[in-house]
Amino acid sequence: MNNFTFYSPTYFVFGKNTENEAGHYVRRFGGTKVLIHYGGGSVVRSGLLDRVKASLNQENISYVELGGVQPNPRSGLVYTGIELCKKEGVDFILAVGGGSAIDSAKAIAAGAVYDGDFWDFYEDKPITKALKVATVLTIAAAGSEGSGDTVITKEEGMLKRGAGSEHLRPVFSILNPELTQTLPAYQTAAGATDIMAHVFERYFTNTKDVEITDRLCEAVLLTMIKEVPRAIADSNNYEARANIMWAGMVAHNNIVGVGRDQDWASHMIEHELSALYDVAHGAGLAVIFPAWMTYVMKQDVMRFAQLAVRLWGCNMNYMNPEETAKEGIERLKKFLTSIGMPISFPELGAKEEDIPYMVKTMGLDENDTIGGFMKLTGKDIANIYRLAL
Ligand code: NZQ
Ligand code: ZN
């Protein structure tokens, strides 16, 4: 097991009606002037925004609001949010929504206390301070409610890039599974795919003997395989929603990743897809992950076979473990299809002729590679896109 540090200071408030405590927690964590940041309107339609505002009013906490975050959040609204925070003296940002609203809130939080262009942070400048961020989560997916990461798309060139810092971990996150019951099945499935992908990125490692982490990963994946079909069959299934919501946090606050090298190539490969075609990140991952698995399987066939056995109950073919490994990938594809996810370029509206552009915008030099499990060059990445055709 590799040496590691693990610090996940977010205070989680989980369960029914917990959004009504938002004001109480903003006060407890020192917010005096809040920016409420949200997406395209689902929180307005559901009445959630009004409940959150009522909760702030009850604590006499003043606030301003900024809605309109798009899925795959854009830099333009981040600049607007930064200006608003500076003008209004905001000291606390409350994101109400999904990963997009939360990531946009984190970008604003870092940009509001920085004199330069916030985009510097997405080009590797370290984030050394930020306004406090908290969340009221409405979709189980990105795991941004418990992570220090943010992903923003710069409109100019449609560049989708990530940044990360301990300063961006939410101080509290309110997770009420009931809030996810209004999600369309497609968004539930896309979110679920992202959650599973966050585990896969950590499961496929060359670090040996991190049994505890392997087993935690498998627990999250097995939970998803059981609960996602139940949530899709009955959107109001609270227990299924609750399990998925907590799995989404566990999958990405890095507790299932410590002690080992991680991969993350599939996420980088996917980000080009969601940037170019504006598709849901999880749907893009459903297309990329099986292709990536097929391409890199030979790196460690036994690891893929192990997952096939433990996750899908495949029989281990000791004479030919590659067959077991392949069967596991096929089972994943079937699962993704069964929950309504695309698994190929045409289903996503992606085109073969755009592959060179997507590889190019990743900005890799000839000898640059991405990924920890198997190092991938630009040529490998193009091959993986082609496997998804
Ligand atoms: O905008 P509104 O109207 O709220 O609608 C949203 C949006 O259309 C809708 N929605 C959310 N909650 C709902 C709801 N509709 C009905 N009822 C509800 N309760 O769902 C759509 C998707 O929302 P979004 O916030 O975009 O989803 P998600 O949480 O999947 O976030 C995706 C973004 O997170 C990034 C992705 O790249 C993508 O940009 N990621 C962020 C990470 C992080 N910060 O750690 C890691 C991830 O790997 C990921 O890259
Ligand atoms: Zn993701």
Side-chain angles (χ1 to χ4, degrees):
M1 196 184 293
N2 297 341
N3 289 2
F4 65 87
T5 60
F6 179 70
Y7 180 61
S8 177
T10 305
Y11 190 102
F12 292 101
V13 186
F14 191 99
K16 294 179 182 176
N17 302 318
T18 45
E19 65 273 18
N20 298 321
E21 297 167 42
H24 164 77
Y25 284 104
V26 169
R27 178 163 301 293
R28 176 167 164 178
F29 285 94
T32 61
K33 180 74 185 267
V34 176
L35 170 67
I36 306 176
H37 197 40
Y38 57 93
S42 72
V43 302
V44 179
R45 289 190 295 278
S46 68
L48 172 62
L49 189 65
D50 285 341
R51 296 203 290 284
V52 169
K53 286 191 207 168
S55 166
L56 291 172
N57 287 336
Q58 214 172 352
E59 295 286 333
N60 291 319
I61 296 169
S62 65
Y63 53 83
V64 288
E65 47 182 293
L66 179 63
V69 182
Q70 292 170 251
N72 303 316
R74 309 299 152 85
S75 52
L77 197 68
V78 173
Y79 290 114
T80 308
I82 290 170
E83 284 314 307
L84 186 61
C85 285
K86 286 181 175 168
K87 186 168 139 243
E88 298 285 343
V90 165
D91 58 16
F92 195 104
I93 307 186
L94 182 60
V96 184
S100 295
I102 300 171
D103 284 4
S104 183
K106 289 175 176 175
I108 295 170
V113 291
Y114 176 61
D115 286 335
D117 183 343
F118 92 92
W119 190 254
D120 293 347
F121 299 129
Y122 295 77
E123 289 179 339
D124 292 338
K125 188 180 175 70
I127 295 169
T128 53
K129 56 181 174 172
L131 298 180
K132 283 183 185 165
V133 176
T135 84
V136 178
L137 186 66
T138 62
I139 172 173
S144 194
E145 67 278 12
S147 85
D149 303 329
T150 156
V151 184
I152 299 290
T153 300
K154 187 181 188 171
E155 276 109 333
E156 196 190 337
M158 292 308 275
L159 295 177
K160 189 171 182 179
R161 297 286 179 268
S165 164
E166 291 304 323
H167 299 281
L168 296 184
R169 290 224 188 221
V171 291
F172 72 80
S173 280
I174 290 179
L175 275 56
N176 175 357
E178 288 174 314
L179 300 178
T180 66
Q181 290 172 357
T182 53
L183 278 167
Y186 188 83
Q187 290 296 346
T188 298
T193 307
D194 193 18
I195 292 170
M196 293 176 76
H198 292 161
V199 178
F200 292 140
E201 297 282 18
R202 294 169 164 103
Y203 194 84
F204 292 103
T205 178
N206 297 313
T207 312
K208 301 289 176 212
D209 292 330
V210 197
E211 183 71 7
I212 172 70
T213 305
D214 271 4
R215 293 298 186 175
L216 288 171
C217 285
E218 289 156 11
V220 176
L221 292 169
L222 287 165
T223 301
M224 296 303 287
I225 291 167
K226 176 177 175 214
E227 301 295 3
V228 176
R230 292 196 329 144
I232 287 177
D234 173 10
S235 193
N236 294 324
N237 185 330
Y238 179 84
E239 300 305 335
R241 293 284 187 189
N243 278 287
I244 295 168
M245 198 167 210
W246 191 238
M249 203 299 292
V250 172
H252 200 46
N253 84 335
N254 210 27
I255 197 157
V256 301
V258 294
R260 51 172 52 190
D261 296 336
Q262 302 180 12
D263 190 75
W264 295 100
S266 299
H267 263 69
M268 293 177 77
I269 296 171
E270 190 293 319
H271 281 165
E272 299 305 320
L273 275 181
S274 46
L276 189 60
Y277 303 109
D278 207 10
V279 293
H281 166 63
L285 287 166
V287 171
I288 294 301
F289 241 105
W292 175 86
M293 288 174 163
T294 305
Y295 195 76
V296 307
M297 190 183 70
K298 290 212 164 76
Q299 176 77 15
D300 186 350
V301 167
M302 288 311 289
R303 180 148 276 272
F304 277 92
Q306 170 182 295
L307 191 65
V309 171
R310 293 184 183 175
L311 202 57
W312 306 108
C314 300
N315 288 322
M316 183 68 185
N317 184 337
Y318 289 98
M319 301 299 285
N320 190 353
E322 195 171 323
E323 287 306 310
T324 312
K326 280 186 187 157
E327 197 187 333
I329 299 170
E330 284 310 308
R331 292 289 296 272
L332 172 64
K333 282 192 194 170
K334 272 203 188 114
F335 176 78
L336 293 171
T337 305
S338 76
I339 62 170
M341 283 289 95
I343 53 167
S344 68
F345 262 43
E347 291 169 89
L348 203 62
K351 299 189 192 73
E352 183 175 6
E353 57 263 34
D354 291 332
I355 290 174
Y357 175 78
M358 289 190 285
V359 175
K360 189 170 153 246
T361 49
M362 291 178 90
L364 299 177
D365 289 331
E366 205 180 328
N367 296 322
D368 285 352
T369 59
I370 60 166
F373 182 63
M374 183 172 152
K375 306 251 178 274
L376 303 173
T377 62
K379 221 183 231 174
D380 295 315
I381 294 164
N383 288 337
I384 290 170
Y385 282 130
R386 282 196 199 94
L387 276 177
L389 290 174

